[in-house]
Amino acid sequence: MTTVRSKKRILVPAVVSVVLSAGAATGSAAPVAPIKNIVLVHGAFADGSSWAKVIPILQAKGYNVTAVQNPLTSLADDVATTQRAIARQDGPVLLVGHSWGGVVITEAGIDPKVAGLVYVAAFAPDQGEQVGELGKKYPPPPALAAPNVDEKGFLTLSVDAFKKFGSDLPEKDALVACATQGAVSASAFAAQVSGVAWKSKPSWYIVSTLDQAIAPDEERYFAKRAKATTTELKASHVPMLSQPEAVAAVIMDAAEKAMASGKPDVR
């Protein structure tokens, strides 16, 4: 009798252990592979070279990086150009937009190949909102106080404006950014997105606390509304030029987590 009871006492825990182990093995999910395709979308008054310091950091980590060269002629044209870049990618895409590029990725990001979005000091409009109207609740941005307008209605910025744009850049870098700027159609800022990707895709947001082109509080509003994982950098409007390592780190974090993202966090 004693022997039988002893065997039962030993056997029952062993069976429970086996069952629990089997359940754990069955319930465990296979690790999700990170995104390898990163598409970078520049802002207004810029071109793809604005990502020049971030690109080599990402490439060194094995990412396939594409910097879009948008024409800045209209929202529709920029979205179409970005969509072509997305279509060329083999597999899921992380879409990254700076400034005006945030408007572009908000619409282009509805593409099913896009698994996540990263906004870098960027606009993140909702349906029915115009970029030109978004900032009226906030102080006027010093960097955009006096744009030059040509006879075709295209805007450019002066050297002094770029020094505000990139207030934390060496002057020589601000001068390069000014020299490589793209002229943007003023009419683009009246356009409205036809889809809002941040409502259905996991999003990350970099707030630039020294921004003189978009008010930092406006950026915080966009980030909160999109329920984005948020990082604040003590940086100007162009953190990808002044703090490329920090910007690349956020992009890589998003690439690692977007495919299996749950509730976003704020740090």
Side-chain angles (χ1 to χ4, degrees):
M1 293 290 292
T2 303
T3 306
V4 172
R5 283 197 299 269
S6 176
K7 286 183 178 179
K8 286 183 178 179
R9 284 197 296 270
I10 296 171
L11 180 60
V12 171
V15 170
V16 171
S17 176
V18 170
V19 170
L20 290 176
S21 298
T26 303
S28 60
V32 179
I35 297 170
K36 286 299 182 182
N37 299 307
I38 298 174
V39 174
L40 306 171
V41 183
H42 62 80
F45 312 109
D47 69 359
S49 67
S50 61
W51 298 105
K53 294 185 178 181
V54 171
I55 291 171
I57 299 172
L58 298 175
Q59 289 176 331
K61 294 295 185 178
Y63 291 96
N64 174 41
V65 185
T66 300
V68 178
Q69 295 287 357
N70 277 331
L72 302 177
T73 45
S74 69
L75 174 60
D77 291 344
D78 286 0
V79 168
T81 302
T82 301
Q83 287 172 329
R84 289 194 293 273
I86 294 169
R88 293 196 299 271
Q89 309 306 310
D90 180 17
V93 172
L94 182 71
L95 200 53
V96 184
H98 170 245
S99 193
W100 161 257
V103 185
V104 179
I105 71 169
T106 294
E107 181 166 328
I110 62 177
D111 188 297
K113 289 180 77 171
V114 176
L117 309 165
V118 180
Y119 291 86
V120 181
F123 296 103
D126 200 350
Q127 203 87 37
E129 294 179 341
Q130 297 179 3
V131 171
E133 302 293 320
L134 285 174
K136 290 194 172 180
K137 296 180 181 178
Y138 302 91
L144 304 179
N148 302 310
V149 188
D150 68 16
E151 67 279 2
K152 300 293 185 180
F154 281 80
L155 307 177
T156 54
L157 297 179
S158 67
V159 170
D160 287 341
F162 266 90
K163 290 179 181 178
K164 294 182 176 71
F165 225 59
S167 59
D168 55 351
L169 291 178
E171 183 174 333
K172 63 182 180 62
D173 289 353
L175 293 176
V176 170
C178 182
T180 58
Q181 71 177 294
V184 59
S185 174
S187 63
F189 298 131
Q192 299 178 12
V193 294
S194 61
V196 182
W198 52 258
K199 289 186 175 180
S200 59
K201 307 289 176 82
S203 300
W204 283 254
Y205 199 108
I206 294 175
V207 172
S208 288
T209 63
L210 304 178
D211 204 320
Q212 296 188 56
I214 303 176
D217 280 344
E218 185 177 3
E219 295 176 6
R220 293 183 182 105
Y221 168 74
F222 291 137
K224 183 177 180 180
R225 183 171 67 172
K227 298 180 175 62
T229 300
T230 302
T231 299
E232 295 205 356
L233 298 179
K234 190 176 181 180
S236 70
H237 187 58
V238 286
M240 64 283 190
L241 291 173
S242 63
Q243 297 189 39
E245 295 86 0
V247 172
V250 172
I251 293 172
M252 289 187 286
D253 181 61
E256 184 74 27
K257 297 175 181 176
M259 293 294 287
S261 179
K263 185 177 179 181
D265 62 281
V266 177
R267 67 179 186 277

